[in-house]
Amino acid sequence: MQKVILVGKPNVGKSSLFNRLARERIAITSDVAGTTRDTNKTQIQIYDKSCILIDSGGLDDSSELFRNVKIKTLDEAKNADIIIYMVDAKFMPSDEDKELFYSLSGLNLPIALVINKVDSKKDEARAWEFISFGAKDVFHISVSHATGVDELVQWIHKHLKTNLIKPDDGNDDFDDFLENFDDDGELSKSENYEDKNIRVGIVGRVNVGKSSLLNALVKDSRAVVSDVAGTTIDPVNEIYEHDGRIYEFVDTAGIRRRGKIDGIERYALNRTQKVLEKTDIALLVLDSSEPLSELDERIAGVASKFELGMIIVLNKWDKSKIEFDELCKDIRYRFKFLAYAPIISVSALGGKRVHKLYDLILSVYRNFTQKLQTSKLNEAINEATKTHPLPHDKGRSVKIYYAVQFGFAPPRIALIMNRPRALHFSYKRYLANKLRDSFELSGVPLVFVPKKRGENSDESSENE
C-alpha cells in the first residue's frame, strides 16, 4: 500500500492535518514544539483509494534527541510514495526549509508544498513569499479553519493507485447472537480472523524498553530510543509482515505515577487507553532488572480491563539477577488477575529471544478468536457444576441449564440460568479455570454473561 508522509519543522501543524485526514484524533497536538517525536502511521481512505498516512517528527537540530527524530523522519520520507512538506505561514520562508524541500524534491516523488495557518490576508500575503521554493504543487491551507484542505486531498487522490478498503463490520451483540449459528447449532464466525491484521499494543511504565522492543520486533530503528524518560509521547504505529501475517504494532507512551503525569503526558495516557480499545493483544513490558512496582500492577490492571489477549514480557533479562521461576512466582502472586497470561523473557536491545514473541503472539491470537465447540463447552460446564455445585440463593437452588458462545475476541460465553443474578464472581473464576483445562486458552480472558432463559436484556459480565 502506498505511503503518504507529512514532513516539516516542528509546530507547523503536521499532527493537526494528520488527524483531519484520518478523521480521528490519533496524533497528540499542542503548542509545544517537538510534541511528535516518532513517526505515527494509520490507514486512511481518500474517496475510492486507500493509503498509509504518516505523521513524522519535526525537522529540528536543537538537541541530540531531536536530531535523531530528524534523521528518522528523512529516512521515512525516502521510503514514502508521496511527500507533503508543510511550512508555517506565520513566518517568512527560511533557508533551512528551502534546502530541505530541495533535498526531498530530488527523490523524484510527488511532493507538495503545503503552507499552513493561512488565517488572514496578512498570512496570505506572506504565503506568496514561498514562491522562491520553486514548487510545482503549492497549497495554501488552514487546518484549524478547514480551508484549502479539500484541494490537497484531491491532489493526493490523483497520485494514489486504486486500493479499496474493506469495511469492518464487527461482531453482533448478544441480543442478535442467534443469527450467528449454523444448522448444527455451532457458532459461525462473523469475521475471517485468519485474514485480519493482528493488532498488538506495547504497554508499560517509562523506560522499561518498549521502544527498543518495537525496534527489535520490526528489525528496524522504528521508534526513537533515548535514556530520557518519556521520550515516546504519541503512540508509534508500525505495520509489519512476518511469515505471511500482518502485525500492527503500537508502542504506547510510558506511564508514570499519577503525581508525575502533567502537561502533554496526560494526553499521552489518555491516548494509550484509546489504543488499548482497538488492540487485540497487549504486551505488558516489565523491567526484569528492577523489582516489580505498584505502578506495574496498576498498568497491568488498566490493560486487563480492555478484554485483550495478554503476554507478559520480561525485558532486560540480560541484566536480571533474579531466577526466572522466582520472578514468575512473584508476578503470579501480584498479578492474580492475569493468571492466564504467558510470561516470556527477552533482551530487546540485544535482540535475544525477541523472535519467539511472534509465535507466542500468533498462538494467543488464535486462542483469542477461537470458536469453542458447543458440546465440549457444555460437557466442561456440567462436569464443573457436578464437582462443585452452585451455592444456593436465599435457600433456592441455582442452575446453569446450558452454555453457548456468542462472540469472539475474546470468547464470550452466555450462561443460561434460572437465577443469573445469583452467580458469584468467584464461581465464574472457578468455571474459567475448568474451561482452561478443556480448551487452549492461554493468554485469553473469558467473558461470562449470565442470562435467564428467554431474556434479552443485558446482564453484567465479568472477565476471567
Side-chain angles (χ1 to χ4, degrees), residues 31-69:
D31 294 330
V32 179
T35 298
T36 301
R37 301 173 185 176
D38 291 288
T39 51
N40 196 4
K41 301 179 181 180
T42 190
Q43 183 173 310
I44 67 169
Q45 185 169 0
I46 297 180
Y47 306 129
D48 60 335
K49 300 176 183 178
S50 60
C51 64
I52 300 296
L53 182 65
I54 305 172
D55 176 26
S56 66
L59 302 174
D60 186 9
D61 291 314
S62 62
S63 69
E64 182 180 355
L65 173 60
F66 291 132
R67 281 193 291 273
N68 290 336
V69 172

Side-chain angles (χ1 to χ4, degrees), residues 156-176:
I156 296 172
H157 178 266
K158 182 177 69 173
H159 291 281
L160 287 176
K161 299 175 183 176
T162 301
N163 185 5
L164 295 176
I165 292 179
K166 295 179 180 179
D168 183 2
D169 296 328
N171 287 325
D172 293 333
D173 292 328
F174 175 77
D175 292 346
D176 301 319

Side-chain angles (χ1 to χ4, degrees), residues 6 8-11 13-16 18-19 26-30 32-41 54-60 65-66 69-70 73 222 224 231-236 264 271:
L6 310 179
K9 295 173 73 175
N11 224 24
K14 298 186 299 297
S15 294
S16 296
F18 178 84
N19 288 340
I26 299 174
I28 297 173
T29 59
S30 81
V32 179
T35 298
T36 301
R37 301 173 185 176
D38 291 288
T39 51
N40 196 4
K41 301 179 181 180
I54 305 172
D55 176 26
S56 66
L59 302 174
D60 186 9
L65 173 60
F66 291 132
V69 172
K70 178 179 179 180
T73 294
R222 174 60 185 85
V224 175
T231 297
T232 301
I233 295 177
D234 258 323
V236 182
I264 294 173
R271 197 57 49 83

Side-chain angles (χ1 to χ4, degrees), residues 43-293:
Q43 183 173 310
I44 67 169
Q45 185 169 0
I46 297 180
Y47 306 129
D48 60 335
K49 300 176 183 178
S50 60
C51 64
I52 300 296
L53 182 65
I54 305 172
D55 176 26
S56 66
L59 302 174
D60 186 9
D61 291 314
S62 62
S63 69
E64 182 180 355
L65 173 60
F66 291 132
R67 281 193 291 273
N68 290 336
V69 172
K70 178 179 179 180
I71 291 170
K72 290 185 61 59
T73 294
L74 293 176
D75 285 342
E76 283 280 356
K78 292 175 184 177
N79 294 316
D81 300 287
I82 299 171
I83 300 174
I84 296 174
Y85 193 95
M86 295 186 68
V87 293
D88 189 341
K90 304 297 182 185
F91 300 93
M92 294 296 289
S94 69
D95 290 339
E96 184 182 3
D97 264 326
K98 190 182 296 185
E99 290 175 8
L100 287 167
F101 183 81
Y102 286 166
S103 174
L104 294 172
S105 297
L107 297 175
N108 293 320
L109 298 172
I111 182 170
L113 178 64
V114 174
I115 306 167
N116 189 28
K117 306 183 185 179
V118 182
D119 303 320
S120 66
K121 291 183 178 180
K122 287 185 178 180
D123 297 332
E124 183 68 37
R126 195 180 299 113
W128 285 109
E129 297 292 332
F130 286 89
I131 196 172
S132 61
F133 280 48
K136 177 184 176 182
D137 299 297
V138 183
F139 298 91
H140 296 190
I141 74 170
S142 172
V143 176
S144 61
H145 293 93
T147 58
V149 177
D150 288 344
E151 290 79 4
L152 175 61
V153 169
Q154 291 171 14
W155 179 85
I156 296 172
H157 178 266
K158 182 177 69 173
H159 291 281
L160 287 176
K161 299 175 183 176
T162 301
N163 185 5
L164 295 176
I165 292 179
K166 295 179 180 179
D168 183 2
D169 296 328
N171 287 325
D172 293 333
D173 292 328
F174 175 77
D175 292 346
D176 301 319
F177 82 93
L178 287 175
E179 298 178 4
N180 294 333
F181 287 82
D182 59 25
D183 294 337
D184 297 323
E186 293 294 336
L187 178 62
S188 302
K189 290 192 177 183
S190 57
E191 296 186 55
N192 187 356
Y193 289 101
E194 289 298 319
D195 295 334
K196 291 190 69 176
N197 296 357
I198 302 176
R199 300 167 296 186
V200 182
I202 305 174
V203 299
R205 56 185 170 87
V206 295
N207 266 18
V208 295
K210 299 184 302 300
S211 296
S212 297
L213 180 61
L214 173 63
N215 291 342
L217 282 165
V218 302
K219 301 176 182 177
D220 186 18
S221 296
R222 174 60 185 85
V224 175
V225 177
S226 163
D227 291 332
V228 178
T231 297
T232 301
I233 295 177
D234 258 323
V236 182
N237 300 64
E238 180 64 21
I239 299 175
Y240 188 76
E241 182 175 354
H242 178 81
D243 286 347
R245 289 302 300 257
I246 303 297
Y247 297 79
E248 294 183 22
F249 291 105
V250 185
D251 172 23
T252 61
I255 301 174
R256 302 172 187 263
R257 293 199 307 273
R258 184 171 296 276
K260 292 190 176 183
I261 298 175
D262 57 7
I264 294 173
E265 287 187 320
R266 189 174 301 277
Y267 291 102
L269 175 60
N270 293 336
R271 197 57 49 83
T272 295
Q273 293 174 335
K274 288 188 177 297
V275 166
L276 291 175
E277 289 176 0
K278 300 178 180 180
T279 296
D280 298 311
I281 297 172
L283 303 183
L284 174 63
V285 184
L286 305 175
D287 186 343
S288 62
S289 67
E290 299 179 357
L292 294 174
S293 68

Side-chain angles (χ1 to χ4, degrees), residues 288 314-320 322-324 327 345-347:
S288 62
L314 304 179
N315 192 27
K316 306 184 184 180
W317 190 248
D318 53 327
K319 298 180 181 179
S320 178
I322 309 175
E323 293 292 330
F324 182 76
L327 184 52
S345 61
V346 303
S347 176

Side-chain angles (χ1 to χ4, degrees), residues 341-360:
I343 303 174
I344 183 173
S345 61
V346 303
S347 176
L349 277 178
K352 295 180 179 178
R353 291 174 55 80
V354 174
H355 67 283
K356 292 183 176 294
L357 266 172
Y358 276 105
D359 289 339
L360 190 54

